[in-house]
Amino acid sequence: MKFTLSTDTVCDIYRSELRERGIEYVSTYYTIDGCEHKDEFTRDEQIKEFYAKIRGGEMPTTSQVTQNDYEEFFGEMIKKYDGDIVHITISSGLTTSPLFARQVAADILEKTGRHIYIVDSLAATIATRLVVDEAQRLRDEDASAEEAVAFLEDFVNHNHTWFMPFDLMHLKRGGRVSGPSAYIGTALNIKPILRFDPTGALVVMQKKIGASKGVAEMINIFKRDSAAKPHKAYIASADSDLAEGMLKKAKAVRPDCDIEIAMIGPVIGAHTGANAVGITFISDKLRSEV
């Protein structure tokens, strides 16, 4: 292998799986029940317990990976491994963590001559997972760090993600929608459909009456915009009862694609609330063309 691969835990690949795949990781943080935790989930039961607490009224908060975290993490990485490092981050449209990563990588290059390449996934959770999957493929095919980064920086712009938060009152409690909007939307059963835009920010694209119409619209988008070539896709689930049905619908429109359900972890789940559902796939179109 010509480079070592690392990421942050917002990719929502279980930590045990990251270790099995030879991918290093830096942990993000969430606070629930008044206690701060590292995002170290390794099985579905832990995520289900997390969402059960949200359904019970808990309002978790999150903390980003700091510059000090990256100094410690990358410092250990260059001691442990020889050669280049490629690191995949959460979207810079959601947090300043990628900026910290770049600053620390630049300092290390200046002081040691070691290259740490930062790839902004322009996404989070299962969408970042898809970028990590591709990065691992390139690593295992013996691509150089420069070749991998060039491919991935194009790839992220063809990585499309659409999702539907379920609980507007949760979004209200977190300050992400106004009280009147949450009450009116809940009364009318309005479900917003969001996507990651070309800058990696989340934007509301549509509003549908009822979850079934929201799911149907996301499947229509998947059918319309997914790449002609068979590819990997993920159904995102914040412990959602809708995920299995959405998976069946996605497989029906693209039986040639490899599609599976992946759970949304605590850092993003703290903001979406329970029951959110979505889809990540590859498109021949750039995000800017949708």
Side-chain angles (χ1 to χ4, degrees):
M1 295 183 293
K2 294 180 179 176
F3 66 87
T4 300
L5 178 59
S6 65
T7 186
D8 59 53
T9 54
V10 185
C11 68
D12 288 338
I13 301 171
Y14 286 142
R15 311 317 158 242
S16 53
E17 182 181 341
L18 286 172
R19 290 189 289 270
E20 289 170 2
R21 292 166 63 176
I23 302 171
E24 297 284 346
Y25 63 89
V26 58
S27 293
T28 45
Y29 303 88
Y30 67 97
T31 298
I32 196 167
D33 294 330
C35 297
E36 186 178 71
H37 306 269
K38 280 187 174 182
D39 179 6
E40 291 282 349
F41 285 0
T42 58
R43 59 187 188 276
D44 285 355
E45 290 76 14
Q46 292 168 306
I47 292 184
K48 290 179 179 294
E49 181 181 350
F50 172 81
Y51 286 118
K53 290 181 178 181
I54 289 180
R55 292 186 180 100
E58 286 289 332
M59 194 67 205
T61 59
T62 62
S63 301
Q64 63 186 357
V65 183
T66 67
Q67 185 160 336
N68 287 339
D69 291 330
Y70 272 120
E71 288 172 352
E72 180 178 351
F73 177 66
F74 287 149
E76 290 299 317
M77 286 277 286
I78 63 172
K79 292 177 184 176
K80 186 175 180 180
Y81 299 100
D82 296 325
D84 295 334
I85 296 166
V86 175
H87 181 75
I88 315 298
T89 73
I90 184 177
S91 173
S92 58
L94 300 177
T95 175
T96 57
S97 284
L99 176 61
F100 296 148
R102 291 186 190 279
Q103 289 173 340
V104 174
D107 288 343
I108 288 174
L109 177 61
E110 182 178 353
K111 293 174 182 177
T112 70
R114 295 288 302 277
H115 287 275
I116 301 174
Y117 296 90
I118 308 302
V119 177
D120 184 346
S121 71
L122 298 178
T125 190
I126 60 165
T128 301
R129 180 189 184 110
L130 203 55
V131 180
V132 174
D133 290 345
E134 284 297 301
Q136 181 185 351
R137 177 184 65 79
L138 292 162
R139 181 200 66 183
D140 294 349
E141 291 177 355
D142 214 28
S144 69
E146 292 87 349
E147 290 169 337
V149 170
F151 177 89
L152 294 169
E153 288 182 342
D154 176 69
F155 178 82
V156 297
N157 290 296
H158 291 273
N159 183 1
H160 293 225
T161 299
W162 298 76
F163 79 98
M164 179 178 66
F166 202 85
D167 184 357
L168 294 182
M169 299 310 294
H170 175 88
L171 298 178
K172 168 189 170 293
R173 290 191 297 272
R176 286 172 284 278
V177 300
S178 68
S181 294
Y183 287 114
I184 293 170
T186 299
L188 296 177
N189 199 23
I190 292 173
K191 306 299 180 190
I193 298 176
L194 300 86
R195 76 170 181 120
F196 286 109
D197 74 5
T199 71
L202 280 172
V203 292
V204 177
M205 299 299 292
Q206 300 183 36
K207 296 178 182 178
K208 294 294 181 180
I209 304 296
S212 61
K213 290 183 178 179
V215 167
E217 180 61 19
M218 289 187 286
I219 294 298
N220 287 338
I221 293 167
F222 175 54
K223 181 180 180 180
R224 180 193 72 197
D225 292 340
S226 57
K229 184 178 179 179
H231 59 276
K232 182 74 178 183
Y234 288 107
I235 301 297
S237 173
D239 195 25
S240 174
D241 292 337
L242 300 172
E244 288 289 348
M246 191 169 176
L247 177 64
K248 291 179 182 177
K249 290 180 172 65
K251 286 183 173 180
V253 301
R254 287 299 306 267
D256 57 328
C257 287
D258 178 14
I259 313 170
E260 65 180 82
I261 294 171
M263 297 285 267
I264 298 172
V267 171
I268 299 303
H271 300 282
T272 65
N275 302 313
V277 68
I279 189 166
T280 287
F281 58 89
I282 306 308
S283 178
D284 295 321
K285 301 177 183 177
L286 295 169
R287 292 189 196 181
S288 58
E289 295 173 330
V290 174

